[in-house]
């Protein structure tokens, strides 16, 4: 976990900045503008990605805005330069999914992840441009996926952890039918300035309750809980040092214009007097492989890596989280070399504490 790897495990691509929704907690600055990625940008990225994919498993994640707002024809043109070894994923609000999109996903072997926050009353932040609730459109899109037999993942944002919520959410997603569920405590980042501080006991209890719900019926892969259980098992086995990679995955995000931002997709579209536009280069000028080889020279990246080292020496949870996320540091602390953030507390520290709390409460009498 020192420095950046020069070859990532996946690339995030922004086919358009446009989103047809206007969610209250969205961090994207240009979601009302339709700035589409030109095909030459995808061709330039594919020139680096295709050799990586031939050497081992590799994914391209299409992430907007709302990627489907780019349209099937344009998204197909962006996918076309990538070789057959590349796995394609799309993160979508599902409101545009219909039978034609399902045929598209099957033809292009695109894996779908749906953003939905639980039952209708839990989706009040997910609204269209006119403020109308988007829930009915979301579930229609999910129904289309199920009708076509397409597996999908789900991603839920939790704004206020409270007793009973974790069980309610898990039961809902059991019925909805994803095979993987990710749960995010709402983050203060980008244009979302809502406070994300919560009572520590409430957050810890939320994660413990979610684990309990999952253990009763573990049909869904529960992303955060399984991460934490894997870490706990490695600690007990004395192999925790093997969980973190030797070098950080750069997680390059390629913006609609070809600019490359490493480590945090949430920084795309923002500028700062000290750091400029956060980019490490543009694929229309320099190959993605060359950009990543020199990414540590980007001024803010060096500052972030200093922060990672500060976390390593000061935080007992470092082995679990690996030093936090760049965007959370920037948007919460105003710089990259700080250490603990509210995001760390909500989604790393309290998560692990919730798992341990559940284990303590359910240990056998003999223990």
């Amino acid at each position: 976990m020192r420095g950046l790897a020069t070859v990532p495990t996946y690339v995030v691509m922004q086919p358009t900045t446009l989103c047809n929704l206007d969610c209250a907690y969205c961090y994207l600055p240009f979601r009302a503008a339709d700035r589409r990625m030109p095909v030459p940008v995808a061709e330039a990225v594919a020139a680096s990605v295709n050799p990586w994919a031939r050497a081992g498993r590799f994914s391209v994640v299409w992430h907007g805005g709302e990627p489907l707002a780019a349209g099937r024809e344009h998204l197909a043109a962006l996918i076309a330069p990538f070789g057959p070894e590349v796995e394609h994923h799309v993160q979508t609000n599902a409101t545009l999914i219909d039978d034609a999109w399902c045929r598209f996903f099957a033809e292009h072997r695109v894996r779908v992840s749906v953003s939905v926050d639980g039952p209708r009353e839990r989706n009040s932040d997910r609204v269209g441009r006119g403020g109308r609730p988007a829930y009915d459109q979301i579930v229609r899109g999910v129904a289309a996926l199920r009708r076509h037999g397409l597996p999908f993942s789900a991603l839920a944002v939790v704004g206020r952890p409270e007793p009973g919520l974790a069980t309610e959410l898990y039961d809902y997603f059991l019925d909805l039918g994803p095979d993987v569920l990710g749960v995010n405590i709402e983050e203060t980042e980008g244009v979302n300035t809502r406070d994300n501080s919560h009572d520590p006991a409430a957050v810890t209890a939320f994660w413990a309750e979610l684990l309990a719900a999952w253990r009763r019926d573990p049909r869904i892969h529960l992303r955060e809980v399984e991460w934490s259980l894997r870490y706990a098992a490695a600690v007990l086995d004395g192999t925790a040092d093997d969980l973190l990679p030797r070098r950080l995955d750069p997680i390059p995000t390629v913006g609609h214009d070809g600019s490359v931002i490493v480590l945090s997709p949430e920084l795309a579209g923002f500028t700062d007097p000290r750091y400029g536009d956060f980019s490490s280069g543009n694929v229309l000028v320099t190959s993605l492989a060359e950009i990543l080889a020199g990414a540590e020279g980007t001024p803010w990246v060096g500052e972030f890596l200093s922060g990672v080292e500060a976390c390593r020496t000061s935080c007992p949870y470092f082995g679990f989280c690996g030093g936090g996320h760049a965007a959370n540091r920037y948007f919460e602390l105003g710089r990259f070399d700080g250490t603990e953030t509210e995001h760390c507390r909500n989604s790393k520290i309290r998560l692990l504490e919730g798992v341990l709390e559940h284990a303590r409460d359910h240990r056998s009498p003999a223990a």
Side-chain angles (χ1 to χ4, degrees), residues 154-156 158 169 181-185 206-207 210 222-224 347:
L155 182 63
V158 172
L169 289 180
L181 172 62
V183 178
N184 290 347
I185 305 292
F206 170 82
W207 291 117
L210 187 61
L222 194 51
R223 186 183 64 180
E224 286 75 19
S347 298

Side-chain angles (χ1 to χ4, degrees), residues 1-4 244 248 263 301-315 318 321-326 329 336-339:
M1 283 292 293
R2 285 184 164 86
L4 298 185
L244 293 177
L248 282 165
L263 294 169
V301 174
E303 185 178 299
F304 171 74
L305 293 175
S306 296
V308 171
E309 292 308 307
C311 286
R312 187 194 307 277
T313 59
S314 65
C315 182
F318 181 83
C321 82
H325 299 293
R329 291 185 185 182
F336 291 99
D337 56 0
T339 53

